[in-house]
Amino acid sequence: MKEQVKTIKKFGEEAIFDARSLGGWRFFVLGFQHLFAMFGATVLVPLLTGLPISSTLLFAGLGTLLFHLISKKKVPAFLGSSFAFLAGYMSIAPNKEPELLLYACFGVALAGLMYLILAFAFQAFGAKKVMQFFPPVVTGPIIIAIGLNLSKSAVENCSSNWALALTAIVVVIVCNIFGRGMVKIIPILLGVLVSYLLAAVLGFINFEPVKNAAWFGFPVQYNRTVFSLFTSGNLDPALLLSSCFTIIPISFATMMEHIGDISAISSTVGINYMKDPGLHRTLTGDGLATTLASLFGAPANTTYGENTGVLSLTKVYDPRVIRLAAVFAVFLSFCPKFSAVIEVMPSAVIGGISLVLYGMISAVGVRNVVETKVDFSKSRNIIVAAMILVLSIGINYSGAGALIFNVFGVQIAFSGLATGSLVGILLNAVLPEKDYKFEEDEPNETGVDLQISQGKSLLWELAMKTKEKEEAEK
């Protein structure tokens, strides 16, 4: 009893690795807090793409549990919906067409398998050699292009009601810049809540679908899964191939985001998870979670920066708390009425949130090359970045919107992002004077974090820790 009281007294002050010592109700509240942190960003992706909200919550929970199983239950990470693949979904299904989203989901499922290939490469050749092919001079411009290619859809959604959109934008900015504690960690959720409530008060929301929705229902419908694509008898092989070539290259950016997130969690907790359980295990868990979710019609998964913010805030680093949050997400997925409340959200609210989000995605790409000190005095780095940006954005806004090739009578479309990514990776591989070094022995920043910023960057935090350590030694 004395031990428990002592631990509770230090809650929020010292690291806690076994949350059960805090007592049952505190353990429960901490799990709910992690659910709260990931919720806004996770449900925003299906709202933007047209994917089902119920299956999104189900596979965010199941994906997190699968990740924990594969990573030996050691890493306190939550897997929510990935923003990076938004460009892929919108390229294949620009108007949220359910039948076209299935093709996009197939492409994302294969993108998830790319994580397994990288995990194998890490095991076979070591992270230092493999990461030379994915330096910030490649991933940074790719991320910049992702945000800019999405910007048009954000403005179109805002234009339906700029007053609601601006409300969402202002709330996100205020919470992100001036917020403290939990408020700073959940700016998306607060932006959605405030603008949603305003829309409801002004009568802009039709709640009839909410009244008609059932309280309980199975979150997955067969006709919204990739499996139905192959049993419907209406499969379009050309579109299937095009979706693969469009979406798979996006995984190069998301895999770097994963490594950055694991590095951030390692720095926050003080344990090098890149060594144990190892990046090969965490990449495998994230990739399989993405493939599983996509096959059943849910968005791709990614490790969430918001939940890393909660870890830093509470100093409770017990992975059991994250798994409890995952169980809560699974339970919520079985309530269609809850999903209906989210689905009736006005498009202007979604537009306001996405306007900030897409801009921040591009800004993160800029931060990527700045914080990792990419040397643009070298011509090879300028050429790599230039080719990625011009091809990714130029092709996307061209008349055709893609590069069209006929291969054995099948018409295949390469999106701008796919073309730019592949050209950038190949150029970086063949051009001399590579200067990027990656070390597993110490958590370091890849510069990639596609979630809403949690404040000071990991590089800054690591620099401060190093400075404090040096001063202490003196």
Side-chain angles (χ1 to χ4, degrees):
M1 182 67 181
K2 288 182 179 179
E3 184 67 29
Q4 183 173 344
V5 171
K6 183 179 179 181
T7 307
I8 292 172
K9 185 178 179 181
K10 294 181 179 179
F11 175 53
E13 299 173 7
E14 294 184 7
I16 297 171
F17 291 91
D18 187 351
R20 293 174 297 182
S21 63
L22 298 172
W25 73 271
R26 287 186 177 86
F27 184 68
F28 182 89
V29 169
L30 284 166
F32 184 77
Q33 191 175 33
H34 275 282
L35 176 73
F36 195 61
M38 72 85 191
F39 189 81
T42 294
V43 300
L44 181 61
V45 173
L47 285 171
L48 290 168
T49 59
L51 294 167
I53 292 173
S54 294
S55 57
T56 298
L57 290 170
L58 175 66
F59 286 98
L62 294 180
T64 299
L65 295 174
L66 177 63
F67 172 84
H68 279 242
L69 181 65
I70 293 172
S71 59
K72 304 195 308 192
K73 303 179 182 178
K74 291 184 175 182
V75 185
F78 192 98
L79 271 61
S81 304
S82 172
F83 293 137
F85 286 101
L86 287 173
Y89 292 117
M90 292 180 183
S91 293
I92 304 301
N95 298 310
K96 304 181 182 180
E97 302 90 337
E99 65 279 5
L100 297 182
L101 281 171
L102 298 179
Y103 289 91
C105 286
F106 179 78
V108 175
L110 293 186
L113 297 180
M114 293 293 292
Y115 284 65
L116 276 64
I117 296 173
L118 185 64
F120 174 77
F122 274 16
Q123 276 284 82
F125 307 107
K128 191 172 183 178
K129 289 183 179 179
V130 175
M131 288 295 287
Q132 287 183 351
F133 294 96
F134 307 102
V137 72
V138 171
T139 57
I142 290 174
I143 295 163
I144 292 170
I146 288 173
L148 294 179
N149 283 342
L150 291 168
S151 58
K152 182 181 176 182
S153 67
V155 175
E156 288 174 348
N157 280 329
C158 288
S159 62
S160 63
N161 190 320
W162 275 104
L164 284 179
L166 287 172
T167 301
I169 291 168
V170 169
V171 173
V172 170
I173 292 173
V174 169
C175 292
N176 195 250
I177 301 298
F178 303 105
R180 294 289 182 270
M182 197 66 185
V183 171
K184 192 176 184 67
I185 293 171
I186 53 170
I188 291 179
L189 182 59
L190 293 176
V192 167
L193 285 174
V194 172
S195 51
Y196 186 100
L197 288 173
L198 178 62
V201 170
L202 297 176
F204 293 142
I205 301 177
N206 176 19
F207 286 103
E208 198 62 31
V210 179
K211 294 177 183 178
N212 296 332
W215 280 101
F216 179 83
F218 193 67
V220 177
Q221 297 176 341
Y222 181 75
N223 65 342
R224 299 300 300 270
T225 68
V226 171
F227 306 109
S228 68
L229 197 61
F230 297 93
T231 58
S232 64
N234 299 316
L235 182 66
D236 184 342
L239 183 57
L240 194 69
L241 284 172
S242 295
S243 68
C244 295
F245 288 121
T246 296
I247 294 174
I248 288 175
I250 298 174
S251 65
F252 298 133
T254 60
M255 289 186 291
M256 297 308 103
E257 179 189 13
H258 171 93
I259 294 169
D261 284 341
I262 297 302
S263 181
I265 295 170
S266 298
S267 177
T268 300
V269 177
I271 298 174
N272 192 348
Y273 295 118
M274 297 198 298
K275 277 289 188 182
D276 183 24
L279 285 172
H280 64 288
R281 280 185 174 272
T282 62
L283 279 164
T284 300
D286 199 346
L288 287 178
T290 289
T291 298
L292 179 68
S294 300
L295 290 175
F296 286 92
N301 283 327
T302 187
T303 44
Y304 255 31
E306 282 84 349
N307 294 88
T308 306
V310 176
L311 293 176
S312 179
L313 180 68
T314 63
K315 292 185 171 55
V316 177
Y317 305 137
D318 188 351
R320 296 182 191 89
V321 173
I322 307 290
R323 293 196 285 272
L324 180 61
V327 172
F328 289 158
V330 171
F331 280 134
L332 279 177
S333 72
F334 284 86
C335 182
K337 192 173 287 290
F338 180 77
S339 297
V341 170
I342 300 169
E343 287 168 354
V344 298
M345 187 182 303
S347 60
V349 173
I350 301 169
I353 299 295
S354 58
L355 191 73
V356 178
L357 176 65
Y358 299 159
M360 291 191 75
I361 288 175
S362 291
V364 164
V366 175
R367 194 185 82 178
N368 185 10
V369 297
V370 171
E371 290 191 344
T372 52
K373 298 179 181 177
V374 174
D375 187 358
F376 279 112
S377 67
K378 293 183 177 180
S379 297
R380 57 104 58 205
N381 288 341
I382 292 176
I383 290 171
V384 171
M387 292 301 291
I388 292 172
L389 289 170
V390 171
L391 289 171
S392 298
I393 299 170
I395 293 173
N396 183 66
Y397 287 103
S398 65
L403 294 181
I404 311 296
F405 297 95
N406 281 302
V407 181
F408 302 113
V410 177
Q411 197 175 68
I412 300 173
F414 269 82
S415 70
L417 195 59
T419 306
S421 300
L422 292 173
V423 169
I425 290 168
L426 289 173
L427 275 176
N428 176 72
V430 299
L431 294 178
E433 298 184 40
K434 297 181 185 67
D435 56 3
Y436 179 59
K437 293 181 181 180
F438 180 86
E439 298 291 345
E440 273 186 303
D441 294 327
E442 174 140 0
N444 57 82
E445 175 72 283
T446 63
V448 182
D449 183 1
L450 299 181
Q451 309 304 319
I452 288 289
S453 171
Q454 301 306 316
K456 297 181 178 68
S457 71
L458 176 61
L459 270 185
W460 187 91
E461 291 176 359
L462 289 174
M464 289 301 101
K465 285 184 179 180
T466 303
K467 185 178 179 181
E468 289 172 3
K469 186 177 179 182
E470 289 174 351
E471 289 177 353
E473 289 174 351
K474 289 179 181 179

